[in-house]
Amino acid sequence: MLGLALMACKHINVDFTYSPAAPRAGEPVYFANHSSSGEEWEWIFGSGATSTLKSPTYTYKQPGTYRVTLKVDKKSSRTATKEIIIYDTIPTFTCEETDFTIYTDYTFKAVVYNPYNYDVKYEWYLPTDPTEFIPPYCIITDTAMNMSTLHLYFTRPISEARIGLRVTLNGVLTDIEKRYDVSDRTTRSVLLRTEEGDYRQRIFGDRAEPAKKLAEPNALLNQEQDTTQRYNNYVFTIEDLSPIFPGIVGFHIASRKIYYRANGLWVAYLDGAHNVQIDSMACNAMTLDTKDNRIYWANEKGVWYMPFVGSENNKFITVPVQLNEMKNVTKIAADADPK
C-alpha cells in the first residue's frame, strides 16, 4: 500500500519546446514534448485547434500571439503553458494542380500576407538555363508578368521546369522559385504529306505542336484518300456523287453530311440540299477527325481546321483556324498520337 501511495504522488515534469524559434503564418511549427512521463496528451494551440499526439506539428494561418497549453493524462495539475508569437507570413505562390502535363493550362497564385496594406509588387520570371532548348518550355497566357496570378502552359516534357516570383513588400524583396516535373500526354494528331516528306502535328485542343518530319512515309498517307467511302452500309464513289456535286474531286461523309473538294471546300447533305461553301480557295487535301469532330483541309496558304458544321441549313458561325503554313500538302489523315 505504501508503494502505491508513493507512485501516486510521484511528480511528473511537464514541459515542451517549439521550433522554429520565430515562426511565420503558414509555416509548420513543431512542438517537442519533454514531459518526464505520461500516456495521454492534450494540446491546445490557442487558435481553436487541438491535438492528442505526443509531439505534434501545427501551422498557424494568421500572425499573432497565441497561448499554447499541454495537458498530460487529462490532469489540470499536469499542464504547461507558453506564449508563441507568429510573425507575418513568408511570401510564396501556389498552384492547385499537382500533376503537370504539356499543353494544359495552369494558374499560379501569389500568397502574400499583407494586413497593413503595404505597397506590394509582383515580378514573375522564368529562370534561364544554358541547357534549355528554344522555344521556351512554357508560354504565358492571358496575364501580365506583374500581376498576382500567372497563367501558362508547358510546351514540352521537362524535368524540374522552373517558375520564379519576386515579391516586393514594403520595400523588402523575397524571391521564390519552385520546380515542376512536366510529363508528355497522348493526344490526337494530323498527318501531312508534302513533296519534302511526311509530317506529324500533334493537336491539344485549340493548340498544336509544330509539325515534325517523320523518318519514313506513314502508312495512313500511303492509302488512297477521299475518293471512296462506306457509309450506312453503302459504298460511295466520286462517280456516284458527280451528278449531284459537279466538279467533286474528293469527299468525306459524317453525320449525314458530305464535305467535299470542288473549286474550294463545301458542305452539303447527301441529296445535295443546303450546299454551302466553307473555303473558296482551291483545296488540295482534306480529312475528318470523327473523334474530335473536326475537319482539316489544305490550301495554298497552309492547313486549316474547324468543327463539324452542326446547323440544319449548313450555315456555320465558327471561323476557320489556321493550323500551320505548310505549302503543297497533298494528303491529310487524322490519327491517334503514338507518343
Side-chain angles (χ1 to χ4, degrees):
M1 294 294 294
L2 180 59
L4 292 175
L6 290 174
M7 290 181 63
C9 294
K10 183 179 179 180
H11 177 70
I12 294 179
N13 182 48
V14 180
D15 192 21
F16 66 89
T17 58
Y18 60 86
S19 61
R24 294 174 179 264
E27 184 179 24
V29 181
Y30 174 67
F31 292 89
N33 190 335
H34 301 297
S35 301
S36 58
S37 185
E39 295 180 355
E40 294 182 79
W41 325 97
E42 181 183 3
W43 292 86
I44 302 173
F45 296 115
S47 62
T50 61
S51 175
T52 57
L53 298 176
K54 182 177 181 180
S55 296
T57 296
Y58 179 69
T59 301
Y60 290 88
K61 297 181 180 179
Q62 301 292 336
T65 300
Y66 299 87
R67 289 176 59 85
V68 180
T69 298
L70 168 61
K71 181 184 292 187
V72 178
D73 293 335
K74 298 182 179 180
K75 295 184 179 294
S76 58
S77 60
R78 298 176 180 175
T79 61
T81 299
K82 296 182 180 181
E83 284 191 348
I84 181 173
I85 299 175
I86 305 298
Y87 295 88
D88 282 359
T89 185
I90 300 173
T92 187
F93 64 87
T94 62
C95 181
E96 292 184 359
E97 305 297 331
T98 57
D99 296 322
F100 295 85
T101 59
I102 61 173
Y103 289 93
T104 301
D105 289 308
Y106 297 103
T107 298
F108 297 85
K109 296 182 180 180
V111 181
V112 179
Y113 183 75
N114 187 16
Y116 308 111
N117 293 320
Y118 290 136
D119 289 337
V120 57
K121 296 181 179 179
Y122 307 96
E123 298 176 73
W124 296 93
Y125 58 93
L126 310 177
T128 57
D129 186 330
T131 64
E132 291 299 334
F133 300 100
I134 300 297
Y137 54 77
C138 65
I139 302 296
I140 309 302
T141 62
D142 302 328
T143 187
M145 297 291 280
N146 61 351
M147 305 296 288
S148 61
T149 58
L150 180 70
H151 305 288
L152 60 79
Y153 63 90
F154 297 98
T155 59
R156 65 176 184 270
I158 186 172
S159 177
E160 297 189 344
R162 300 188 294 166
I163 306 296
L165 171 64
R166 169 170 288 182
V167 176
T168 305
L169 179 63
N170 195 29
V172 178
L173 299 180
T174 303
D175 285 315
I176 311 106
E177 182 179 302
K178 297 187 179 183
R179 304 190 178 202
Y180 304 91
D181 291 331
V182 182
S183 60
D184 203 348
R185 65 184 175 104
T186 56
T187 184
R188 302 292 294 171
S189 293
V190 174
L191 298 167
L192 307 166
R193 174 160 291 178
T194 70
E195 295 175 354
E196 291 75 27
D198 291 356
Y199 293 79
R200 178 183 294 275
Q201 190 163 13
R202 299 202 298 167
I203 310 299
F204 300 88
D206 292 331
R207 302 185 180 114
E209 283 185 336
K212 297 179 181 179
K213 189 173 183 179
L214 302 178
E216 298 179 356
N218 186 275
L220 286 178
L221 296 175
N222 289 336
Q223 300 174 9
E224 185 178 7
Q225 287 196 351
D226 69 11
T227 57
T228 302
Q229 181 180 343
R230 176 178 291 275
Y231 184 76
N232 284 348
N233 297 320
Y234 182 82
V235 177
F236 290 85
T237 66
I238 294 288
E239 291 73 18
D240 296 331
L241 298 169
S242 292
I244 305 175
F245 308 103
I248 185 172
V249 294
F251 69 94
H252 286 281
I253 301 172
S255 302
R256 299 183 297 112
K257 296 183 181 183
I258 179 172
Y259 299 81
Y260 69 97
R261 298 187 289 128
N263 296 321
L265 180 65
W266 301 76
V267 60
Y269 286 100
L270 285 173
D271 61 3
H274 299 297
N275 197 22
V276 176
Q277 190 173 49
I278 296 175
D279 187 358
S280 61
M281 297 184 66
C283 183
N284 305 323
M286 62 165 290
T287 192
L288 303 185
D289 187 346
T290 55
K291 296 292 185 181
D292 282 348
N293 292 328
R294 280 183 175 181
I295 175 174
Y296 293 88
W297 72 96
N299 59 31
E300 64 180 19
K301 291 186 176 181
V303 178
W304 302 74
Y305 71 90
M306 63 177 288
F308 285 175
V309 177
S311 64
E312 290 298 325
N313 59 5
N314 292 337
K315 297 293 183 181
F316 57 93
I317 60 174
T318 56
V319 178
V321 178
Q322 189 163 12
L323 179 66
N324 60 49
E325 297 181 355
M326 295 181 65
K327 305 297 190 294
N328 302 317
V329 174
T330 58
K331 286 188 176 183
I332 305 177
D335 187 28
D337 172 25
K339 197 175 177 181

